[in-house]
Amino acid sequence: MAARLDYRWHLRQVMATRGMFATTDLIGPLSERGIRLSSSQVYRLVTERPERLSLKILMALLDILDCDMADLIEPVAAGSARKAKAAGGGEGVGDLRPKRARIAPAGS
């Protein structure tokens, strides 16, 4: 019997390592490559694990982020993806978060 495979989608983490923290940061670069997606489509692409993905979009993401397919897609055994998420191993961006700006009155 063949092993059942699943995958983890790391688009959000790869974007964060390149300083792209807003999902809308991808709209312009995708558009430059001839891919027109709405902001809600890009949001779902970044925040959710896609079940189907156009190869044109995948190749555009690899070009935009200057990464390999292995950086975006991690194959895992079918049961381990659910266990990691249930154990708190969700798809966060770790320590890669923008720092909150502090606005002080002039002369302070």
Side-chain angles (χ1 to χ4, degrees):
M1 183 175 190
R4 295 187 54 174
L5 294 177
D6 205 355
Y7 65 96
R8 290 191 186 120
W9 181 241
H10 297 293
L11 179 57
R12 172 166 258 164
Q13 292 91 330
V14 174
M15 286 177 61
T17 61
R18 279 132 179 99
M20 299 172 78
F21 295 98
T23 59
T24 54
D25 291 343
L26 283 178
I27 294 175
L30 285 170
S31 179
E32 291 170 7
R33 288 159 179 84
I35 297 171
R36 309 266 186 254
L37 296 176
S38 69
S39 58
S40 62
Q41 289 172 315
V42 173
Y43 176 82
R44 285 193 309 269
L45 181 66
V46 173
T47 61
E48 298 174 9
R49 191 179 79 153
E51 292 299 318
R52 290 178 285 162
L53 183 63
S54 158
L55 288 178
K56 285 185 179 185
I57 294 174
L58 178 61
M59 297 312 294
L61 290 172
L62 296 176
D63 184 45
I64 292 165
L65 299 169
D66 190 31
C67 65
D68 295 323
M69 204 173 323
D71 297 328
L72 288 179
I73 304 168
E74 175 190 358
V76 295
S80 65
R82 290 187 192 114
K83 289 178 188 173
K85 197 163 200 162
E91 307 224 0
V93 291
D95 295 331
L96 300 172
R97 297 210 181 269
K99 296 198 188 286
R100 179 172 287 203
R102 293 185 177 247
I103 300 174
S108 299

XYZ file of all heavy atoms in Angstrom:
818
model
N 0.845 -1.178 0.000
C 0.000 0.000 0.000
C 0.892 1.243 0.000
O 1.830 1.345 0.780
C -0.898 -0.016 1.226
C -1.853 1.107 1.305
S -2.911 0.804 2.733
C -4.105 2.021 2.479
N 0.600 2.195 -0.853
C 1.401 3.408 -0.976
C 1.130 4.348 0.197
O 0.017 4.415 0.712
C 1.077 4.109 -2.290
N 2.165 5.061 0.592
C 2.017 6.029 1.681
C 1.175 7.205 1.204
O 1.314 7.651 0.067
C 3.390 6.515 2.128
N 0.314 7.692 2.077
C -0.492 8.859 1.745
C 0.303 10.107 2.063
O 0.861 10.233 3.145
C -1.790 8.822 2.524
C -2.643 7.623 2.092
C -3.976 7.651 2.697
N -4.599 8.947 2.398
C -5.834 9.264 2.699
N -6.583 8.415 3.320
N -6.338 10.439 2.404
N 0.347 11.012 1.108
C 1.126 12.228 1.281
C 0.222 13.444 1.403
O -0.870 13.477 0.868
C 2.080 12.422 0.102
C 3.182 11.391 -0.030
C 4.000 11.669 -1.278
C 4.073 11.397 1.190
N 0.718 14.416 2.091
C 0.051 15.694 2.248
C 1.141 16.751 2.078
O 2.285 16.423 1.773
C -0.596 15.777 3.638
C -1.775 16.738 3.667
O -2.026 17.406 2.648
O -2.446 16.817 4.714
N 0.817 17.995 2.298
C 1.833 19.035 2.156
C 1.527 20.211 3.073
O 0.408 20.393 3.519
C 1.929 19.519 0.701
C 0.680 20.213 0.211
C 0.575 21.594 0.246
C -0.403 19.495 -0.271
C -0.573 22.234 -0.188
C -1.550 20.113 -0.708
C -1.621 21.495 -0.672
O -2.761 22.129 -1.091
N 2.568 20.970 3.337
C 2.440 22.229 4.078
C 2.764 23.352 3.110
O 3.688 23.245 2.311
C 3.397 22.265 5.264
C 3.008 21.323 6.360
C 3.816 21.569 7.625
N 3.500 20.540 8.587
C 4.380 19.696 9.100
N 5.646 19.777 8.767
N 4.009 18.778 9.955
N 2.024 24.430 3.193
C 2.163 25.584 2.313
C 2.840 26.696 3.099
O 2.332 27.150 4.113
C 0.768 25.994 1.838
C 0.673 27.145 0.904
C 0.014 28.316 1.131
C 1.190 27.238 -0.423
N 0.096 29.122 0.032
C 0.812 28.490 -0.935
C 1.949 26.390 -1.219
C 1.168 28.912 -2.219
C 2.299 26.799 -2.495
C 1.908 28.042 -2.981
N 4.006 27.141 2.645
C 4.821 28.103 3.393
C 4.910 29.476 2.737
O 5.883 30.199 2.950
C 6.238 27.551 3.572
C 6.299 26.298 4.375
N 5.996 26.248 5.709
C 6.616 25.029 4.021
C 6.144 25.010 6.150
N 6.503 24.249 5.140
N 3.914 29.864 1.944
C 3.975 31.148 1.257
C 4.094 32.304 2.236
O 4.921 33.204 2.054
C 2.752 31.337 0.350
C 2.678 32.667 -0.406
C 3.918 32.881 -1.259
C 1.420 32.731 -1.244
N 3.307 32.283 3.289
C 3.345 33.397 4.257
C 4.732 33.534 4.891
O 5.262 34.639 5.022
C 2.292 33.184 5.326
C 2.417 34.199 6.458
C 1.225 34.215 7.326
N 0.500 35.399 6.897
C -0.751 35.651 7.173
N -1.459 34.807 7.843
N -1.320 36.760 6.774
N 5.365 32.417 5.265
C 6.684 32.472 5.885
C 7.730 32.974 4.901
O 8.605 33.770 5.264
C 7.111 31.093 6.415
C 6.291 30.611 7.581
C 5.093 29.783 7.137
O 4.529 29.972 6.064
N 4.675 28.858 7.969
N 7.668 32.512 3.657
C 8.642 32.957 2.651
C 8.470 34.444 2.386
O 9.458 35.184 2.274
C 8.502 32.126 1.352
C 9.399 32.676 0.260
C 8.843 30.663 1.624
N 7.225 34.912 2.306
C 6.994 36.350 2.129
C 7.583 37.137 3.292
O 8.231 38.165 3.090
C 5.494 36.630 2.031
C 4.860 36.234 0.728
S 3.064 36.516 0.731
C 2.964 38.286 0.982
N 7.382 36.659 4.513
C 7.865 37.371 5.701
C 9.390 37.474 5.700
O 9.938 38.514 6.067
C 7.384 36.677 6.964
N 10.076 36.418 5.273
C 11.543 36.483 5.253
C 12.040 37.480 4.221
O 13.188 37.926 4.305
C 12.168 35.104 4.951
O 11.735 34.660 3.668
C 11.821 34.099 6.028
N 11.184 37.871 3.282
C 11.556 38.855 2.272
C 10.954 40.227 2.563
O 10.915 41.101 1.708
C 11.141 38.371 0.884
C 12.173 37.390 0.337
C 11.545 36.178 -0.207
N 12.495 35.224 -0.771
C 12.930 34.165 -0.140
N 12.588 33.949 1.107
N 13.736 33.309 -0.720
N 10.447 40.396 3.769
C 9.918 41.692 4.196
C 8.543 42.022 3.642
O 8.139 43.177 3.652
N 7.821 41.030 3.169
C 6.476 41.250 2.640
C 5.476 40.743 3.681
O 5.271 39.545 3.808
C 6.301 40.493 1.317
C 7.259 40.926 0.235
S 7.173 39.866 -1.230
C 5.695 40.499 -1.994
N 4.869 41.655 4.418
C 3.981 41.263 5.506
C 2.506 41.418 5.161
O 1.660 40.859 5.834
C 4.312 42.050 6.775
C 5.679 41.728 7.315
C 6.763 42.534 7.034
C 5.886 40.586 8.064
C 8.022 42.226 7.509
C 7.140 40.262 8.547
C 8.210 41.085 8.264
N 2.187 42.182 4.128
C 0.789 42.361 3.709
C 0.504 41.464 2.516
O 1.329 41.348 1.603
C 0.536 43.821 3.345
N -0.661 40.840 2.527
C -1.003 39.959 1.405
C -1.084 40.750 0.104
O -0.772 40.219 -0.960
C -2.334 39.241 1.660
O -3.362 40.194 1.845
C -2.231 38.339 2.872
N -1.452 42.021 0.194
C -1.577 42.847 -1.007
C -0.218 43.176 -1.632
O -0.181 43.685 -2.751
C -2.333 44.145 -0.691
O -1.695 44.808 0.393
C -3.784 43.855 -0.342
N 0.878 42.885 -0.936
C 2.211 43.114 -1.505
C 2.444 42.265 -2.748
O 3.347 42.558 -3.538
C 3.310 42.796 -0.482
C 3.352 43.793 0.663
O 2.773 44.886 0.527
O 3.972 43.479 1.697
N 1.666 41.223 -2.931
C 1.837 40.344 -4.092
C 1.033 40.788 -5.314
O 1.324 40.357 -6.428
C 1.409 38.912 -3.742
C 2.372 38.086 -2.914
C 1.771 36.727 -2.614
C 3.696 37.922 -3.635
N 0.032 41.638 -5.137
C -0.849 41.995 -6.247
C -0.082 42.651 -7.387
O -0.220 42.258 -8.550
C -2.009 42.889 -5.764
C -2.913 42.082 -4.833
C -2.807 43.433 -6.945
C -4.031 42.879 -4.195
N 0.745 43.637 -7.088
C 1.519 44.337 -8.118
C 2.495 43.423 -8.850
O 2.484 43.367 -10.087
N 3.360 42.705 -8.119
C 4.293 41.803 -8.795
C 3.604 40.719 -9.627
O 4.086 40.365 -10.708
C 5.084 41.180 -7.641
C 5.009 42.175 -6.542
C 3.661 42.821 -6.696
N 2.472 40.202 -9.158
C 1.736 39.218 -9.953
C 1.185 39.865 -11.218
O 1.240 39.283 -12.303
C 0.599 38.599 -9.133
C 1.003 37.573 -8.083
C -0.182 37.235 -7.181
C 1.564 36.316 -8.716
N 0.673 41.077 -11.082
C 0.132 41.799 -12.220
C 1.201 42.066 -13.269
O 0.937 41.984 -14.472
C -0.484 43.112 -11.737
O -0.994 43.849 -12.810
N 2.416 42.387 -12.823
C 3.533 42.620 -13.748
C 3.853 41.372 -14.561
O 4.412 41.465 -15.653
C 4.778 43.046 -12.976
C 4.686 44.413 -12.345
C 5.834 44.683 -11.386
O 6.775 43.877 -11.303
O 5.774 45.726 -10.708
N 3.495 40.221 -14.043
C 3.754 38.952 -14.724
C 2.512 38.431 -15.446
O 2.444 37.274 -15.824
C 4.280 37.930 -13.720
C 5.707 38.271 -13.296
C 6.084 37.627 -11.989
N 7.448 37.955 -11.619
C 7.814 39.052 -10.993
N 6.916 39.970 -10.655
N 9.091 39.278 -10.690
N 1.511 39.299 -15.599
C 0.321 38.941 -16.357
C -0.722 38.153 -15.593
O -1.625 37.575 -16.190
N -0.622 38.122 -14.268
C -1.588 37.378 -13.457
C -2.435 38.379 -12.679
O -1.915 39.122 -11.849
C -0.866 36.406 -12.505
C -0.097 35.382 -13.331
C -1.857 35.739 -11.570
C 0.822 34.518 -12.538
N -3.706 38.394 -12.974
C -4.626 39.323 -12.332
C -5.462 38.563 -11.303
O -6.311 37.759 -11.658
C -5.553 39.948 -13.361
C -4.846 40.540 -14.555
C -4.573 42.012 -14.367
N -4.023 42.583 -15.588
C -2.746 42.914 -15.710
N -1.920 42.716 -14.720
N -2.306 43.458 -16.823
N -5.210 38.832 -10.042
C -5.982 38.233 -8.957
C -6.544 39.355 -8.097
O -5.884 40.379 -7.887
C -5.114 37.330 -8.082
C -4.515 36.081 -8.727
C -3.604 35.371 -7.738
C -5.593 35.153 -9.217
N -7.739 39.169 -7.575
C -8.323 40.159 -6.672
C -7.600 40.084 -5.328
O -6.911 39.111 -5.030
C -9.814 39.885 -6.485
O -10.000 38.694 -5.755
N -7.810 41.097 -4.516
C -7.161 41.101 -3.202
C -7.645 39.935 -2.346
O -6.869 39.357 -1.581
C -7.392 42.433 -2.477
O -8.761 42.686 -2.330
N -8.921 39.543 -2.489
C -9.415 38.407 -1.705
C -8.813 37.092 -2.200
O -8.543 36.192 -1.400
C -10.943 38.341 -1.722
O -11.414 38.144 -3.028
N -8.580 36.965 -3.505
C -7.936 35.758 -4.030
C -6.493 35.653 -3.533
O -6.034 34.579 -3.153
C -7.960 35.752 -5.559
C -9.325 35.516 -6.138
C -9.336 35.709 -7.634
O -8.784 36.660 -8.164
N -9.991 34.781 -8.330
N -5.779 36.775 -3.525
C -4.402 36.778 -3.031
C -4.385 36.479 -1.539
O -3.542 35.721 -1.062
C -3.698 38.122 -3.344
C -2.332 38.190 -2.687
C -3.572 38.318 -4.847
N -5.338 37.040 -0.796
C -5.420 36.778 0.636
C -5.580 35.282 0.907
O -4.889 34.709 1.747
C -6.596 37.557 1.249
C -6.806 37.269 2.712
C -6.033 37.922 3.672
C -7.737 36.333 3.141
C -6.206 37.649 5.024
C -7.910 36.054 4.481
C -7.144 36.717 5.418
O -7.294 36.431 6.750
N -6.496 34.636 0.176
C -6.699 33.192 0.356
C -5.461 32.403 -0.045
O -5.123 31.408 0.603
C -7.918 32.724 -0.446
C -9.226 33.123 0.193
C -10.414 32.390 -0.417
N -10.468 32.460 -1.870
C -11.105 33.399 -2.572
N -11.748 34.358 -1.933
N -11.118 33.365 -3.882
N -4.772 32.842 -1.096
C -3.562 32.158 -1.542
C -2.483 32.199 -0.458
O -1.771 31.231 -0.233
C -3.048 32.814 -2.832
C -1.795 32.227 -3.462
C -2.055 30.816 -3.960
C -1.335 33.108 -4.604
N -2.388 33.329 0.232
C -1.356 33.502 1.256
C -1.748 32.841 2.573
O -0.926 32.181 3.207
C -1.056 35.004 1.482
C -0.112 35.205 2.661
C -0.462 35.618 0.222
N -2.982 32.994 2.983
C -3.371 32.553 4.323
C -3.899 31.133 4.406
O -3.934 30.560 5.487
C -4.440 33.495 4.918
O -5.592 33.472 4.073
C -3.896 34.909 5.047
N -4.332 30.576 3.271
C -4.865 29.220 3.281
C -3.999 28.320 2.413
O -3.265 28.791 1.556
C -6.298 29.211 2.728
C -7.259 30.033 3.551
C -8.628 30.126 2.899
O -8.890 29.417 1.911
O -9.430 30.942 3.381
N -4.118 27.052 2.643
C -3.394 26.070 1.845
C -4.192 25.793 0.577
O -5.317 25.315 0.642
C -3.224 24.799 2.666
C -2.288 23.799 2.069
C -2.201 22.644 2.971
N -3.398 21.816 2.756
C -3.447 20.531 2.977
N -2.411 19.920 3.480
N -4.523 19.851 2.749
N -3.634 26.112 -0.598
C -4.413 25.905 -1.827
C -4.559 24.427 -2.171
O -3.616 23.649 -2.042
C -3.590 26.631 -2.895
C -2.208 26.670 -2.360
C -2.330 26.703 -0.871
N -5.754 24.050 -2.583
C -5.996 22.681 -3.039
C -5.634 22.540 -4.509
O -5.204 21.498 -4.954
C -7.459 22.293 -2.812
C -7.817 22.158 -1.343
C -7.012 21.093 -0.630
O -6.808 20.004 -1.205
O -6.581 21.343 0.504
N -5.858 23.603 -5.273
C -5.479 23.648 -6.689
C -4.718 24.942 -6.919
O -5.080 25.982 -6.373
C -6.717 23.633 -7.584
C -7.430 22.307 -7.575
C -8.651 22.365 -8.434
N -9.663 23.134 -7.695
C -10.728 23.684 -8.245
N -10.921 23.592 -9.530
N -11.602 24.324 -7.513
N -3.681 24.872 -7.750
C -2.870 26.056 -8.006
C -2.375 26.006 -9.441
O -1.794 25.004 -9.868
C -1.685 26.092 -7.031
C -0.759 27.293 -7.092
C -1.509 28.571 -6.732
C 0.406 27.106 -6.154
N -2.594 27.074 -10.159
C -2.120 27.172 -11.533
C -0.596 27.165 -11.546
O 0.057 27.791 -10.701
C -2.646 28.479 -12.137
O -1.869 28.890 -13.214
N -0.023 26.470 -12.511
C 1.438 26.458 -12.622
C 1.978 27.838 -12.958
O 3.078 28.193 -12.539
C 1.891 25.435 -13.664
C 1.739 23.984 -13.242
C 2.160 23.051 -14.373
C 2.559 23.694 -12.002
N 1.198 28.650 -13.689
C 1.631 30.022 -13.988
C 1.763 30.828 -12.698
O 2.707 31.578 -12.509
C 0.649 30.704 -14.935
C 0.756 30.226 -16.354
C -0.159 31.029 -17.255
C -0.012 30.546 -18.680
N -0.780 31.375 -19.605
N 0.793 30.666 -11.801
C 0.851 31.389 -10.526
C 2.018 30.877 -9.693
O 2.765 31.665 -9.108
C -0.480 31.256 -9.761
C -1.592 31.972 -10.521
C -0.355 31.801 -8.343
C -2.978 31.777 -9.935
N 2.209 29.566 -9.647
C 3.325 29.006 -8.891
C 4.656 29.526 -9.424
O 5.513 29.950 -8.652
C 3.287 27.478 -8.930
C 4.435 26.756 -8.223
C 4.449 27.102 -6.738
C 4.323 25.263 -8.432
N 4.827 29.526 -10.732
C 6.088 30.000 -11.316
C 6.278 31.493 -11.045
O 7.393 31.942 -10.781
C 6.132 29.703 -12.819
C 6.107 28.215 -13.142
S 7.266 27.212 -12.186
C 8.815 27.807 -12.780
N 5.194 32.266 -11.078
C 5.286 33.694 -10.772
C 5.698 33.904 -9.315
O 6.552 34.756 -9.024
C 3.956 34.383 -11.053
N 5.135 33.121 -8.397
C 5.509 33.237 -6.985
C 6.981 32.895 -6.781
O 7.691 33.579 -6.033
C 4.635 32.320 -6.119
C 3.171 32.710 -5.977
C 2.396 31.616 -5.255
C 3.036 34.037 -5.259
N 7.451 31.855 -7.440
C 8.862 31.476 -7.320
C 9.761 32.597 -7.838
O 10.804 32.881 -7.249
C 9.137 30.175 -8.087
C 8.414 28.928 -7.572
C 8.713 27.737 -8.478
C 8.780 28.631 -6.135
N 9.350 33.240 -8.928
C 10.132 34.342 -9.490
C 10.087 35.571 -8.585
O 11.125 36.178 -8.294
C 9.591 34.683 -10.879
C 10.419 35.754 -11.572
O 11.664 35.668 -11.539
O 9.817 36.670 -12.163
N 8.899 35.937 -8.125
C 8.738 37.121 -7.267
C 9.547 36.971 -5.979
O 10.234 37.894 -5.546
C 7.249 37.340 -6.931
C 6.475 37.751 -8.173
C 7.076 38.367 -5.812
C 4.960 37.648 -8.037
N 9.456 35.806 -5.358
C 10.092 35.580 -4.053
C 11.519 35.052 -4.178
O 12.199 34.879 -3.163
C 9.238 34.616 -3.234
C 7.828 35.122 -2.939
C 6.977 34.019 -2.365
C 7.871 36.324 -2.015
N 11.959 34.799 -5.403
C 13.312 34.286 -5.658
C 13.594 33.084 -4.762
O 14.526 33.082 -3.955
C 14.357 35.388 -5.446
C 15.726 34.962 -5.935
O 15.800 34.171 -6.898
O 16.738 35.403 -5.342
N 12.726 32.070 -4.893
C 12.856 30.876 -4.070
C 12.626 29.631 -4.918
O 12.311 29.736 -6.104
C 11.883 30.920 -2.899
S 10.152 30.862 -3.366
N 12.786 28.479 -4.314
C 12.553 27.202 -4.975
C 11.201 26.651 -4.542
O 10.643 27.059 -3.525
C 13.634 26.186 -4.583
C 15.008 26.597 -5.077
O 15.090 27.153 -6.188
O 15.990 26.363 -4.349
N 10.718 25.665 -5.285
C 9.445 25.043 -4.948
C 9.494 24.413 -3.553
O 8.510 24.443 -2.825
C 9.086 23.988 -5.995
C 7.621 23.736 -6.062
S 7.065 22.668 -7.384
C 8.083 23.057 -8.752
N 10.637 23.887 -3.178
C 10.775 23.263 -1.859
C 10.617 24.283 -0.730
O 10.264 23.921 0.389
C 12.124 22.566 -1.744
N 10.867 25.558 -1.017
C 10.675 26.598 -0.003
C 9.190 26.840 0.258
O 8.800 27.177 1.373
C 11.327 27.910 -0.437
C 12.833 27.799 -0.590
O 13.448 27.003 0.155
O 13.387 28.492 -1.464
N 8.357 26.684 -0.774
C 6.928 26.942 -0.648
C 6.124 25.720 -0.257
O 5.145 25.826 0.476
C 6.365 27.472 -1.981
C 6.740 28.885 -2.374
C 6.113 29.229 -3.710
C 6.328 29.874 -1.312
N 6.514 24.554 -0.766
C 5.722 23.343 -0.567
C 6.575 22.294 0.132
O 7.621 21.906 -0.377
C 5.223 22.785 -1.913
C 4.432 23.856 -2.654
C 4.385 21.538 -1.698
C 4.156 23.514 -4.100
N 6.120 21.862 1.292
C 6.829 20.830 2.056
C 5.974 19.567 2.097
O 4.893 19.563 2.685
C 7.083 21.321 3.480
C 7.700 20.288 4.366
C 7.718 20.713 5.826
O 7.286 21.835 6.155
O 8.166 19.890 6.644
N 6.426 18.489 1.455
C 5.657 17.251 1.526
C 5.751 16.628 2.916
O 6.822 16.644 3.532
C 6.309 16.356 0.474
C 7.629 16.947 0.189
C 7.601 18.379 0.616
N 4.642 16.128 3.411
C 4.599 15.472 4.722
C 3.672 14.264 4.631
O 2.853 14.168 3.722
C 4.101 16.421 5.837
C 5.064 17.571 6.058
C 2.723 16.942 5.539
N 3.795 13.361 5.589
C 2.874 12.232 5.668
C 1.486 12.766 5.991
O 1.341 13.760 6.692
C 3.336 11.248 6.727
N 0.459 12.126 5.503
C -0.914 12.630 5.606
C -1.343 12.923 7.035
O -2.019 13.891 7.291
C -1.885 11.653 4.960
N -0.962 12.130 8.008
C -1.392 12.345 9.381
C -0.625 13.432 10.103
O -1.151 14.075 10.993
N 0.625 13.706 9.739
C 1.456 14.629 10.507
C 1.079 16.087 10.309
O 1.325 16.909 11.167
C 2.932 14.427 10.188
O 3.193 14.763 8.843
N 0.463 16.447 9.201
C 0.075 17.840 8.979
C -1.000 18.256 9.975
O -0.955 19.338 10.529
C -0.419 18.031 7.556
N -1.955 17.387 10.216
C -3.022 17.704 11.176
C -2.496 17.734 12.596
O -2.872 18.559 13.392
C -4.141 16.679 11.044
C -4.907 16.818 9.765
C -6.107 15.900 9.744
N -6.644 15.864 8.406
C -6.643 14.789 7.635
N -6.153 13.652 8.086
N -7.139 14.826 6.426
N -1.608 16.791 12.940
C -1.069 16.737 14.293
C -0.283 17.991 14.620
O -0.398 18.535 15.706
C -0.165 15.513 14.457
C -0.918 14.206 14.480
C 0.047 13.049 14.601
C -0.651 11.723 14.422
N 0.278 10.609 14.371
N 0.532 18.468 13.683
C 1.347 19.660 13.933
C 0.459 20.868 14.173
O 0.705 21.671 15.061
C 2.288 19.914 12.763
N -0.601 21.008 13.397
C -1.494 22.140 13.564
C -2.233 22.045 14.893
O -2.391 23.021 15.606
C -2.470 22.205 12.397
C -3.138 23.542 12.281
C -3.752 23.706 10.917
C -3.957 25.185 10.676
N -4.137 25.525 9.330
N -2.679 20.864 15.255
C -3.397 20.672 16.505
C -2.497 20.911 17.709
O -2.935 21.359 18.750
C -3.981 19.262 16.562
N -1.214 20.651 17.554
C -0.272 20.822 18.647
C 0.242 22.255 18.751
O 1.180 22.541 19.469
C 0.904 19.862 18.467
N -0.347 23.172 17.998
C 0.093 24.562 18.058
C 1.167 24.878 17.052
O 1.725 25.958 17.055
N 1.485 23.966 16.172
C 2.478 24.221 15.143
C 1.835 24.833 13.920
O 2.078 24.410 12.811
N 1.003 25.830 14.118
C 0.280 26.471 13.028
C 1.202 27.166 12.049
O 2.410 27.136 12.161
N 0.599 27.825 11.106
C 1.362 28.433 10.033
C 1.611 29.902 10.306
O 1.278 30.752 9.502
C 0.603 28.228 8.729
C 0.262 26.785 8.506
C 0.525 26.352 7.090
O 0.975 27.155 6.286
O 0.283 25.182 6.824
N 2.189 30.230 11.445
C 2.514 31.609 11.750
C 3.823 32.008 11.118
O 4.491 31.224 10.466
N 4.193 33.238 11.311
C 5.439 33.715 10.730
C 6.546 33.814 11.770
O 7.588 34.404 11.522
C 5.240 35.064 10.012
C 4.411 34.893 8.772
C 4.636 36.093 10.920
N 6.304 33.249 12.948
C 7.351 33.206 13.960
C 7.738 34.577 14.455
O 6.892 35.407 14.771
N 9.039 34.846 14.507
C 9.549 36.123 14.994
C 9.564 37.194 13.919
O 9.965 38.318 14.170
C 10.971 35.942 15.539
C 11.000 35.039 16.757
O 9.995 34.996 17.480
O 12.025 34.368 16.974
N 9.153 36.864 12.714
C 9.208 37.803 11.608
C 7.930 38.634 11.559
O 7.031 38.382 10.793
C 9.415 37.052 10.294
C 10.679 36.225 10.228
C 10.697 35.384 8.973
C 11.894 37.128 10.267
N 7.860 39.612 12.423
C 6.706 40.500 12.457
C 7.209 41.944 12.389
O 8.269 42.262 12.921
C 5.926 40.309 13.744
C 5.351 38.915 13.868
C 4.072 38.975 14.665
N 3.513 37.655 14.824
C 2.640 37.130 13.979
N 2.235 37.805 12.954
N 2.164 35.925 14.179
N 6.439 42.822 11.759
C 6.852 44.221 11.725
C 6.803 44.818 13.132
O 6.008 44.388 13.967
C 5.828 44.878 10.810
C 4.682 43.952 10.743
C 5.197 42.581 11.054
N 7.661 45.765 13.388
C 7.677 46.419 14.694
C 6.668 47.566 14.681
O 6.549 48.286 13.708
C 9.070 46.942 14.996
C 10.088 45.828 15.116
C 11.318 46.320 15.829
C 12.418 45.312 15.791
N 12.327 44.196 16.577
N 5.950 47.701 15.774
C 4.958 48.764 15.900
C 5.664 50.115 15.948
O 6.650 50.283 16.675
C 4.136 48.556 17.154
C 3.085 49.631 17.366
C 2.204 49.264 18.476
N 1.349 48.188 17.982
C 0.176 47.889 18.486
N -0.277 48.554 19.516
N -0.548 46.923 17.993
N 5.153 51.069 15.204
C 5.724 52.409 15.192
C 5.300 53.160 16.446
O 4.182 53.023 16.935
C 5.246 53.172 13.969
N 6.200 53.917 17.000
C 5.893 54.770 18.149
C 5.946 56.212 17.703
O 6.973 56.674 17.225
C 6.884 54.534 19.291
C 6.770 53.165 19.897
C 7.702 53.061 21.080
N 7.522 51.765 21.695
C 7.010 51.613 22.912
N 6.680 52.642 23.629
N 6.841 50.401 23.402
N 4.841 56.900 17.864
C 4.774 58.294 17.447
C 4.821 59.137 18.718
O 3.969 59.025 19.589
C 3.493 58.565 16.651
C 3.481 57.668 15.405
C 3.384 60.027 16.280
C 2.208 57.728 14.618
N 5.833 59.975 18.788
C 6.003 60.843 19.949
C 5.782 62.292 19.532
O 6.060 62.656 18.376
C 7.409 60.671 20.524
N 5.282 63.098 20.435
C 5.094 64.518 20.115
C 6.435 65.160 19.753
O 7.491 64.743 20.232
C 4.519 65.123 21.385
C 4.179 63.992 22.288
C 4.862 62.776 21.781
N 6.392 66.171 18.920
C 7.610 66.870 18.505
C 8.326 67.445 19.729
O 7.682 67.948 20.640
C 7.277 67.971 17.510
N 9.640 67.339 19.744
C 10.426 67.870 20.847
C 10.586 66.921 22.011
O 11.132 67.283 23.049
N 10.110 65.706 21.902
C 10.208 64.745 23.004
C 11.476 63.956 22.905
O 11.955 63.547 21.942
C 9.045 63.775 23.013
O 7.846 64.458 23.174
